[in-house]
Amino acid sequence: APVAAPSPAAAAAGSGGGSSSRSSVSPTKLSWNSAEEVCSICCDDAGPGAAVRLRCSHGWYCTSCVGRHVEARLDNGSVLQNCPQCQDEIAERDLKRLIRESVMNRLLKMSLEQAVAAASDLRPCPTPNCPMRVAMEPGDPSRFVCPECRKECCLKCGAQPFHRKKTCEQHVANQKKGKRCSIFQWMKETGSKQCPTCQMAVTKQNLEKQETQRSECHKMCCRNCNTRFCFKCLAILSKDYTCGCTQDAHGFIDPNTGKILVHLKKKRKSVKTTKAAAKASAGRGRGGRGRGAAAAGGGRGGRGRGRGR
């Protein structure tokens, strides 16, 4: 719930205790409503003491809308809180009266983080959620034991635990080498391959049967560069070339859409071959009809000879 606002009587007293339905508006202080007002943001009615007019004279705003306004700006990474209508900053002492304590703590924490990030001589403890910040002057040792979390670290490169007998550069190089070696070890154990064009690691869905075609064939399409290649021999395949490791009738699966992509294009017959085949077919058709007519004539002759006898 919002932080308790001054009562209507207190607001009226602060404004001089007049009989007006509203508190007097002053550009130098917050003004709380002494009668029901309509919030300029949500357009709902705000009871006495539930809406505020800011020091810039804009309002009325209910405390719920002010709180949501602050949270929305925090979600966008902004710690500077200003009036919803103009760019005048809302003072911290005013925000403490308008928003919940949890939102205020979040605002103060984010403000501290941004201040530390902007200061070149302030270093955070690398332990997650540790609030410790250390002022580090040029020439100071980078080894640090945090009094809050009791963990040892390097303030310069953020290594935890501290890299003994190594410089920060040597430690970072060893970390990269270790990560690269672990990736290649994993690829070797699972039978994964690298794309022949961009060297991106490529796997099949079934890691246990990658070297066979029992679950999936060897025709692969790289998700990174769209190169079509053979998973077994790493040959780059095209519409006119196949390595023969997989049947020609098999195609590729588009990794983005899941649609089947045809591999080899069908060979078109030449015009001369097509015309010759059509003529040959027509000739065979005419020859068949001639033989059929002759057979029919023979049949009629046979019937005539039968009648003569």
Side-chain angles (χ1 to χ4, degrees), residues 192-203:
S192 303
K193 301 292 181 69
Q194 285 181 279
C195 171
T197 300
C198 67
Q199 306 304 312
M200 177 67 69
V202 180
T203 67

Side-chain angles (χ1 to χ4, degrees), residues 49-279:
V52 64
R53 177 167 285 168
L54 302 178
R55 296 178 185 272
C56 58
S57 300
H58 289 130
W60 301 95
Y61 305 123
C62 66
T63 53
S64 298
C65 285
V66 174
R68 286 192 290 267
H69 172 70
V70 173
E71 289 186 87
R73 291 185 62 83
L74 289 176
D75 291 339
N76 291 330
S78 176
V79 297
L80 179 63
Q81 303 301 325
N82 52 22
C83 169
Q85 189 169 343
C86 67
Q87 298 301 317
D88 285 1
E89 183 178 357
I90 305 176
E92 181 179 324
R93 64 180 182 274
D94 294 338
L95 288 172
K96 290 181 179 179
R97 301 173 63 189
L98 296 172
I99 61 179
R100 300 191 306 272
E101 183 179 0
S102 59
V103 179
M104 191 68 204
N105 291 337
R106 180 187 173 193
L107 172 62
L108 295 176
K109 182 179 179 181
M110 186 177 292
S111 300
L112 177 61
E113 293 293 339
Q114 290 191 3
V116 170
S120 59
D121 59 339
L122 287 179
R123 302 297 177 91
C125 175
T127 303
N129 299 323
C130 181
M132 190 63 189
R133 302 294 182 268
V134 184
M136 187 176 181
E137 300 292 337
D140 288 349
S142 60
R143 179 179 174 274
F144 175 70
V145 179
C146 180
E148 291 287 335
C149 63
R150 305 293 181 182
K151 293 186 178 181
E152 184 185 35
C153 66
C154 176
L155 290 176
K156 187 177 180 181
C157 66
Q160 194 180 61
F162 181 75
H163 46 80
R164 298 178 182 273
K165 299 181 180 181
K166 293 180 183 178
T167 64
C168 293
E169 291 75 14
Q170 291 173 340
H171 174 72
V172 172
N174 289 341
Q175 289 290 103
K176 291 183 178 180
K177 183 178 179 180
K179 289 181 180 180
R180 183 172 178 84
C181 292
S182 62
I183 290 176
F184 279 103
Q185 181 65 26
W186 176 83
M187 291 179 63
K188 183 178 180 180
E189 293 174 356
T190 58
S192 303
K193 301 292 181 69
Q194 285 181 279
C195 171
T197 300
C198 67
Q199 306 304 312
M200 177 67 69
V202 180
T203 67
K204 295 183 180 180
Q205 289 185 349
N206 192 333
L207 297 178
E208 297 179 356
K209 299 180 180 180
Q210 289 200 109
E211 297 184 358
T212 69
Q213 299 190 78
R214 295 175 182 175
S215 299
E216 302 157 90
C217 72
H218 291 319
K219 292 185 178 180
M220 304 292 290
C221 184
C222 179
R223 185 186 295 271
N224 186 50
C225 65
N226 295 323
T227 297
R228 302 179 182 183
F229 66 97
C230 174
F231 190 82
K232 182 179 180 180
C233 66
L234 298 180
I236 297 179
L237 307 178
S238 66
K239 293 182 179 180
D240 302 312
Y241 173 75
T242 180
C243 60
C245 296
T246 305
Q247 296 180 15
D248 293 348
H250 283 205
F252 303 90
I253 300 295
D254 191 317
N256 298 313
T257 63
K259 296 182 178 180
I260 299 177
L261 305 175
V262 179
H263 176 195
L264 298 173
K265 63 181 181 181
K266 296 181 179 180
K267 295 182 179 180
R268 295 182 179 180
K269 296 181 180 181
S270 63
V271 177
K272 293 183 178 179
T273 305
T274 305
K275 290 183 177 180
K279 289 182 178 180

Side-chain angles (χ1 to χ4, degrees), residues 35-49:
E36 188 175 90
E37 299 289 348
V38 177
C39 175
S40 300
I41 297 177
C42 65
C43 298
D44 287 344
D45 293 333

